Every structure is written in structure tokens, then in C-alpha cells.
Amino acid sequence: MDIVNPAVNDYLLSHCTPADDLLRELAAETREAFPDSAGMQISHDEGEFLTMLVRLVGARRAVEVGVFTGYSSICIARGLPEDGRLLACDVSDEWTSIARRYWDRAGVADRIDLRIAPAVETLRALPAEPVVDFAFIDADKVSYPLYYEELVVRLRPGGLIVLDNVLRGGRVLDPAFQDEADAAMRQMNETVIGDERVDSVMLPVRDGVTLARKR
């Protein structure tokens, strides 16, 4: 289903700060290089949303689970101060080879620490105390509950976790859809709303975005 009417989507895209030339070039190269996977790349309005959220939270230490070709990494890193750091987690050297080139061109490579490994292992290796100000989860949906739990315990009070694709094209609304990823997202959505450690809001941004703020 269309989460938001397509005409409204077009209007929304035309009424936010537009992507610059570098981000447009990255989006175009991603579509050309990975036409079957390009839908994993966030749209430019969601990218602007991430940059704004990072700045509003005043984040210095950020984590991204799911890098793909680096569009969202650039948006998050641009919201950080010069001494801020983004821990970027992915498992693909092929995808992130594009990301690295664009991070250099965007002037944010020195703020990004890329870890090519299963994200759960990377997150579990972080200090146990609250060391994260901002996190963005946009990776394999089945593992969302694992990523969320590892991050929420390390999130400082007032810190923010952003979860992407929480509506799964509307499939989370219909129990007839029992794909493993759809079921995992239903579980994730119920976990967040029942988690007394956070205040949360789900927004109809693209494929659904949940913001969970640590109390």
C-alpha cells in the first residue's frame, strides 16, 4: 500500500531542503550499480530528517546499522560536530566501497569508523555504559530486535534511536503477511511501544520511521 498518497509524497519532496549535487550523484550511481538493491537507499527528505535529528539531539557519538552505499552515513555525519564520530556497521565491502569514496568527497570520512562485520558483534563490543547519543537502524529486519536492545542499553538519557522501514509497506498491519521480516518488525514495533526505557513515536515517513528517545 502507499503509506502516503504519491502526490503528497511528491509535494513533500519538493518542500524540504534539496539534496546537493554530491548526494544526487551518489543516488544515481547507486541506482546504476545496484539496480535491484537501490530501494534500500533512503530518500533525500529522510536524509535531511536524519541530519536535523542529529543536530537537535546535539549528538557527538552516533551509530549506524546498515550503511549500503553511504547516503545516510553522510547525512548523519553532516549533523555531527567536527569532533563527532559515527560508527558505521555493515557486512558488504562491495557496497561500502562506494560509500568510502563519497565520504571522502563529502569531507566527512574522518568522522566515520566503518566496521565490516556482523553488526551485533560490533555493538556488543562497545562499552556497556551509555556512550551513544544517536543511532539509526536500517539493516536486515529480522535482526532489528537484537540491534535495538544492544543500542538502547548504551544510549544516554535524551539520546535517540531511529528505526527505518517499520511499516514494511503496510504489511505489519495485516497478519496474513507472515514473512520472517514482517513478523520481526511487528515484534519490534510492539517491543518499542512497551519499552518503559523510552518515549517513542512512529511517523509515516517513507516506509515508516520510529523515533525512540531514552528517558
Side-chain angles (χ1 to χ4, degrees):
M1 72 171 61
D2 291 320
I3 304 304
V4 179
N5 182 286
V8 175
N9 268 334
D10 291 343
Y11 190 79
L12 292 172
L13 284 168
S14 66
H15 286 82
C16 72
T17 302
D20 60 17
D21 290 342
L22 182 138
L23 288 175
R24 285 195 293 270
E25 186 177 333
L26 171 55
E29 181 171 340
T30 299
R31 289 192 297 270
E32 181 177 350
F34 308 111
D36 295 332
S37 304
M40 295 194 301
Q41 185 167 251
I42 64 170
S43 59
H44 84 256
D45 55 339
E46 188 172 354
E48 288 297 321
F49 187 47
L50 290 176
T51 304
M52 186 175 292
L53 289 174
V54 171
R55 289 173 176 161
L56 289 172
V57 171
R60 292 184 60 253
R61 298 159 299 183
V63 176
E64 177 183 41
V65 181
V67 173
F68 193 36
T69 57
Y71 193 111
S72 52
S73 309
I74 292 172
C75 295
I76 293 169
R78 282 177 169 176
L80 296 170
E82 288 188 6
D83 63 346
R85 293 294 180 269
L86 169 62
L87 174 62
C89 307
D90 208 286
V91 293
S92 172
D93 283 310
E94 183 181 17
W95 290 342
T96 56
S97 65
I98 293 179
R100 287 180 183 276
R101 285 195 285 108
Y102 280 88
W103 294 343
D104 284 332
R105 291 179 55 192
V108 297
D110 60 338
R111 302 179 195 177
I112 301 175
D113 177 14
L114 175 64
R115 304 286 179 87
I116 301 295
V120 170
E121 295 178 7
T122 300
L123 298 178
R124 286 175 177 166
L126 293 174
E129 61 268 17
V131 295
V132 176
D133 302 310
F134 180 91
F136 180 53
I137 303 176
D138 184 18
D140 60 301
K141 311 313 171 190
V142 172
S143 298
Y144 265 42
L146 296 175
Y147 302 146
Y148 175 81
E149 186 58 34
E150 294 300 329
L151 285 165
V152 75
V153 297
R154 293 171 170 83
L155 196 66
R156 55 100 166 155
L160 189 68
I161 296 178
V162 180
L163 301 97
D164 202 12
N165 304 117
V166 296
L167 294 176
R168 295 283 296 165
R171 293 189 295 278
V172 294
L173 283 69
D174 188 346
F177 290 96
Q178 288 299 320
D179 178 271
E180 189 178 12
D182 296 333
M185 192 59 73
R186 287 193 195 95
Q187 176 191 341
M188 183 73 264
N189 293 340
E190 295 305 315
T191 295
V192 173
I193 196 63
D195 190 349
E196 295 184 353
R197 297 169 295 182
V198 302
D199 296 309
S200 65
V201 60
M202 183 181 289
L203 303 172
V205 175
R206 296 300 150 198
D207 191 30
V209 171
T210 289
L211 312 182
R213 180 183 183 273
K214 187 80 170 279
R215 291 176 177 171

